[in-house]
Amino acid sequence: MDIVKNLICLEKDQASVIRFRSDKLEFIKKDGEIDFPITIDFWDWWKKVVSYVDGDEVDLCFVYDKNYDLLQNDEILTNNVINSEKSSWKIEHIKSYFWELKPTYVNLLIVGPEQQECPLGQKNDVTSKRFQTNLDFKVLNVQNKTSKTSTTSTTSKVAEETISVDDSDYTEFAKFFVDLIRRERG
């Protein structure tokens, strides 16, 4: 039986659910939307959508901007989520979510359960948004250090290169769009 692997991003009282399958990330939509309001029936909806059977192990990565009731006192969370050492979620998946699937922020700060921090982006001194995660940060830090020397996907390389290019390399027309994207990302 396959373990359900979902990244659940909670931001501004909205939820996004991402499935990890065949080394690809894809949105799970609710009523055709990738971002939807967090409601009290979230877990009931989630169980139906992912075909969850009570007692099944799940591999969930939460990324959230504040504490939500959704993350508290649910049987799935307390009994069935596998630990960080066994998790298939890596820091690259969080990067892919924010920079490829839903490009919103350039420089992020991800904070683990022990308040350990991992900056994601080109400029470590500038943070556009701070998110918490449930994953053990010791594991994330090890993966983050090795990811700098390992091969990344072409799309990630392109995104990182685009973000780090100096404005003088753009034409005036291109600068307009670069500035527009930067303003949208915060």
Side-chain angles (χ1 to χ4, degrees):
M1 174 176 288
D2 289 338
I3 293 177
V4 174
K5 299 173 186 173
N6 289 157
L7 183 148
I8 300 174
C9 182
L10 307 172
E11 180 184 15
K12 299 176 186 171
D13 298 319
Q14 299 275 312
S16 297
V17 180
I18 294 81
R19 175 186 357 246
F20 181 53
R21 182 170 56 186
S22 302
D23 292 327
K24 288 180 62 179
L25 297 176
E26 59 189 24
F27 282 105
I28 297 176
K29 297 179 180 181
K30 182 177 182 183
D31 300 326
E33 299 293 327
I34 60 172
D35 296 316
F36 46 87
I38 299 169
T39 59
I40 58 173
D41 67 339
F42 174 85
W43 288 114
D44 294 330
W45 168 82
W46 178 85
K47 286 177 185 180
K48 289 178 192 171
V49 130
V50 301
S51 303
Y52 174 79
V53 177
D54 286 337
D56 282 353
E57 269 192 324
V58 292
D59 188 0
L60 298 178
C61 173
F62 291 97
V63 179
Y64 49 97
D65 61 350
K66 64 180 183 178
N67 286 326
Y68 290 92
D69 291 339
L70 180 74
L71 300 172
Q72 310 299 322
N73 302 324
D74 191 274
E75 186 176 319
I76 295 170
L77 300 177
T78 56
N79 298 325
N80 301 32
V81 176
I82 65 174
N83 64 29
S84 292
E85 289 85 27
K86 294 180 182 177
S87 178
S88 56
W89 292 103
K90 297 180 175 89
I91 199 73
E92 287 81 18
H93 297 121
I94 296 172
K95 286 180 185 179
S96 292
Y97 169 72
F98 282 112
W99 294 346
E100 295 171 22
L101 280 184
K102 191 175 178 188
T104 309
Y105 305 106
V106 176
N107 293 305
L108 301 168
L109 186 65
I110 305 296
V111 181
E114 296 178 18
Q115 301 307 307
Q116 293 170 306
E117 298 178 345
C118 179
L120 303 181
Q122 298 297 314
K123 298 178 182 176
N124 292 341
D125 58 336
V126 177
T127 302
S128 59
K129 189 70 175 179
R130 179 184 177 99
F131 286 93
Q132 301 276 105
T133 186
N134 64 314
L135 294 183
D136 183 357
F137 224 76
K138 293 173 191 165
V139 176
L140 284 179
N141 278 338
V142 168
Q143 292 168 344
N144 192 27
K145 287 177 186 172
T146 59
S147 72
K148 290 178 182 175
T149 58
S150 67
T151 305
T152 57
S153 71
T154 304
T155 310
S156 294
K157 285 182 182 177
V158 169
E160 289 174 11
E161 289 170 4
T162 304
I163 291 167
S164 65
V165 172
D166 187 2
D167 284 348
S168 63
D169 294 340
Y170 295 115
T171 65
E172 289 301 316
F173 185 69
K175 284 181 186 179
F176 169 78
F177 289 104
V178 170
D179 289 339
L180 184 63
I181 289 170
R182 287 183 178 152
R183 278 186 263 140
E184 286 178 358
R185 290 184 177 179

